[in-house]
Amino acid sequence: MFKSNNVTTRLFQRQVCTPAPGTSIHCARRFYENIVPSYTIYDVECPDHSFRKFTDDGLYLVSFSRNHQDVVVYRPKWLTFSCKEKDCDTHDLPLKARKFESFFTQLYSVTLASSGELICKDFFLYMESNQFGLFATSTAQIHDVPPTGGATQGVPSVEKITFHLLRLEDGAILGERVFHNDYVNLAHSIGAFLYDDLLAIVSLRYQRIHILQIRDSGDIVDVRAIGEFCREDDELFLNSNSQVLVDHVGNGFHHSLPESETFFLSGIKQRLLSFIFRGIWNEETDQTMRVQCLKKKFYFHFQDYIDLIIWKQVQFLDRHHLLIKFGSVDGAVSRNTDSHPSFLAVYNMETTEIVAFYQFVKKMMASLPFSCQSQSPSPYFDQSLFRFDEKLISAIDRHRQSTDHPIKFISRRQPNILKFKMKPGPEAGSMDGRTKKICYFLFHPILPLALSVQQTLFLQASVVNIHFRQ
């Protein structure tokens, strides 16, 4: 739609031209080709906090204290200062304007961690409709714990995991949900997924998917737990039938009975095996061929299917369907899952049925299910507008290896035009090139404003730069 690089011309064209249906957001984002960060304040004096992210509406910057006890929330603001000179553009910023407080106003600090817990600095989910923030605190992991109470063998345990719901406007703690002697993967918010007012939390240790609802009042309400049971009355039905079996044993009908914990497969595993069986059954109409296919494709792999467990995360597809990843126990607790086979299933929470089961190529499986709110909505990561080195920077919320060279953002429409560049770390570069450094970037979702934070592995002070449009 736009051919000119002049902002005034683009504004005029926007007034007289109507974008094609469904392209209005894309056309609005193309204005960011002209509005880019053009100035960097290096090594800003700022609070010694761990900066987490901007909320998706741009109203808050969330950070954590270095002792992982407090949540500190800031309000972003735009830099303002006066200049008495005739040609202000040629002058550098005054010292008062080159401070963290010139861009951010602290709203409050709230202590969340207590009783040996620490805030998970990688966990944060945001409800834009209510401006609620979900945080997590936990005690230390305990390895080599015996799998008591139906727990999964080989999965570590955490004595206490607490999810805290805060109203970000004033820091009021609205609700909490505590898990005892459990394990939820909190790194990068992997173990939880937020969809509107529905929250799914994966208990890796007990193989349960807890579905919760966050009310407008801030109350956290249990909806259902998917795992050993799928329907609300499954436990009642099994308990009543277990009593019948016990009565039969007392009357001499059975002489041995397996432990109740291991007598039945979990409800979700039953649904999975049933779906796989019926899928193979329906492939053939001839009875002889059908039996052969079942022997080859189902019974031969039966123990492999039995050993599958729910992995670290799930994803809401809509309010009724979940995308669930299954794999081995080793893959569930390993950092690198590429070497472990995995499977994807689509589960309908209302009918309690598996409606699809996939074995993909490993490369395609690696990124699914997606972690909730793991990508920055900033238009500067729009691949249709800018080209950049994704090994150094991307929309995905992850630390990257730092470089002393600027990261360049090149125009997609004009491949030879450098739109802007950003350099983490000190302006003159690091004096010790042998020290391994990592960095991460926090982009404001709307404004041409970003923070770059460079860290070393030796607990030295971080280098924070502010990139903005002057």
Side-chain angles (χ1 to χ4, degrees):
M1 177 181 176
F2 298 119
K3 295 182 179 180
S4 173
N5 285 326
N6 184 278
V7 175
T8 304
T9 303
R10 286 191 166 190
L11 289 172
F12 177 75
Q13 289 176 333
R14 187 176 67 174
Q15 288 180 330
V16 299
C17 300
T18 301
T23 64
S24 57
I25 294 179
H26 176 69
C27 290
R29 288 170 72 94
R30 296 197 67 171
F31 277 90
Y32 285 90
E33 291 180 320
N34 294 74
I35 306 173
V36 298
S38 60
Y39 192 89
T40 299
I41 303 177
Y42 290 93
D43 203 1
V44 178
E45 291 186 13
C46 63
D48 188 20
H49 293 161
S50 175
F51 297 103
R52 178 65 184 93
K53 68 180 299 183
F54 289 100
T55 55
D56 287 351
D57 53 15
L59 295 178
Y60 306 98
L61 172 64
V62 176
S63 66
F64 305 114
S65 60
R66 282 294 177 187
N67 61 4
H68 297 168
Q69 299 288 315
D70 309 320
V71 172
V72 186
V73 176
Y74 294 89
R75 174 82 73 187
K77 62 180 180 180
W78 200 246
L79 175 66
T80 58
F81 65 93
S82 60
C83 177
K84 298 180 181 179
E85 305 293 334
K86 292 183 179 180
D87 190 4
C88 294
D89 292 336
T90 61
H91 292 274
D92 203 354
L93 291 178
L95 293 178
K96 291 184 179 180
R98 302 172 63 87
K99 295 184 177 181
F100 184 83
E101 293 77 14
S102 299
F103 295 85
F104 303 97
T105 300
Q106 180 175 327
L107 297 182
Y108 53 83
S109 176
V110 177
T111 300
L112 288 186
S114 61
S115 303
E117 290 183 282
L118 295 176
I119 293 176
C120 177
K121 63 184 182 65
D122 291 331
F123 187 95
F124 171 66
L125 296 177
Y126 180 59
M127 289 185 66
E128 187 172 342
S129 58
N130 301 91
Q131 296 182 15
F132 293 164
L134 187 70
F135 301 89
T137 59
S138 71
T139 56
Q141 289 187 24
I142 305 173
H143 296 275
D144 300 325
V145 181
T148 57
T152 304
Q153 177 73 41
V155 177
S157 178
V158 178
E159 181 181 352
K160 185 180 180 183
I161 302 172
T162 308
F163 293 92
H164 310 262
L165 187 69
L166 265 68
R167 186 169 56 216
L168 292 189
E169 181 182 10
D170 55 10
I173 301 176
L174 303 178
E176 294 181 346
R177 179 53 51 93
V178 181
F179 294 83
H180 292 286
N181 302 314
D182 208 331
Y183 182 78
V184 179
N185 194 315
L186 300 177
H188 305 290
S189 307
I190 286 177
F193 198 97
L194 185 64
Y195 182 89
D196 291 337
D197 60 339
L198 295 179
L199 175 67
I201 297 177
V202 180
S203 164
L204 193 59
R205 181 165 172 79
Y206 292 102
Q207 288 294 284
R208 298 187 192 118
I209 303 172
H210 297 271
I211 306 298
L212 311 172
Q213 184 181 32
I214 300 176
R215 302 283 178 83
D216 291 341
S217 60
D219 294 326
I220 304 176
V221 181
D222 288 303
V223 177
R224 59 170 56 89
I226 303 166
E228 63 266 58
F229 309 116
C230 293
R231 297 187 184 275
E232 288 78 1
D233 60 346
D234 280 353
E235 185 174 10
L236 177 63
F237 175 80
L238 290 176
N239 288 339
S240 61
N241 282 271
S242 296
Q243 185 61 45
V244 172
L245 289 174
V246 171
D247 293 339
H248 280 288
V249 171
N251 293 327
F253 289 99
H254 271 282
H255 297 288
S256 63
L257 187 68
E259 295 182 6
S260 59
E261 286 185 318
T262 58
F263 190 60
F264 293 105
L265 293 173
S266 67
I268 189 71
K269 190 68 65 65
Q270 293 271 11
R271 304 307 199 268
L272 181 61
L273 289 172
S274 175
F275 180 84
I276 297 172
F277 182 92
R278 286 185 283 109
I280 298 173
W281 178 276
N282 294 330
E283 286 181 0
E284 300 288 345
T285 56
D286 181 74
Q287 187 67 18
T288 303
M289 293 296 297
R290 178 177 285 169
V291 171
Q292 291 181 359
C293 283
L294 285 173
K295 289 181 178 179
K296 181 179 179 181
K297 297 182 179 180
F298 184 75
Y299 293 111
F300 182 78
H301 298 286
F302 185 77
Q303 190 59 46
D304 296 329
Y305 293 137
I306 293 294
D307 294 337
L308 291 177
I309 68 168
I310 301 172
W311 271 12
K312 307 172 185 177
Q313 64 196 102
V314 300
Q315 178 182 350
F316 277 107
L317 300 179
D318 54 35
R319 295 188 68 87
H320 304 294
H321 294 87
L322 289 173
L323 182 63
I324 307 174
K325 197 170 192 176
F326 290 90
S328 65
V329 175
D330 293 337
V333 297
S334 173
R335 290 188 177 182
N336 184 13
T337 60
D338 294 341
S339 60
H340 301 277
S342 55
F343 308 86
L344 284 175
V346 178
Y347 177 78
N348 187 314
M349 296 188 295
E350 302 301 321
T351 64
T352 73
E353 294 178 343
I354 300 287
V355 297
F357 184 68
Y358 304 102
Q359 299 173 341
F360 287 150
V361 181
K362 289 182 181 179
K363 292 290 184 181
M364 298 174 63
M365 296 282 287
S367 60
L368 295 174
F370 284 118
S371 297
C372 186
Q373 300 180 8
S374 62
Q375 296 196 0
S376 169
S378 170
Y380 300 112
F381 291 119
D382 191 332
Q383 294 280 3
S384 66
L385 300 180
F386 301 100
R387 178 168 51 88
F388 44 85
D389 189 347
E390 291 192 78
K391 295 180 181 179
L392 302 177
I393 191 172
S394 75
I396 299 176
D397 178 23
R398 291 291 188 275
H399 289 75
R400 304 283 174 147
Q401 183 176 349
S402 185
T403 174
D404 288 334
H405 303 289
I407 300 174
K408 299 179 180 180
F409 287 74
I410 310 295
S411 171
R412 281 287 184 185
R413 291 195 305 120
Q414 300 168 298
N416 297 323
I417 301 298
L418 173 65
K419 285 297 183 179
F420 67 99
K421 56 185 179 181
M422 303 177 66
K423 182 181 178 301
E427 184 173 9
S430 175
M431 298 298 292
D432 186 2
R434 297 171 298 177
T435 304
K436 188 175 182 180
K437 300 177 289 292
I438 58 174
C439 69
Y440 62 95
F441 293 84
L442 302 180
F443 275 73
H444 193 278
I446 303 169
L447 302 175
L449 172 68
L451 297 180
S452 63
V453 182
Q454 186 186 74
Q455 299 172 325
T456 64
L457 300 182
F458 300 102
L459 299 180
Q460 297 176 357
S462 301
V463 177
V464 179
N465 299 336
I466 298 180
H467 312 268
F468 68 103
R469 179 175 178 83
Q470 189 179 20

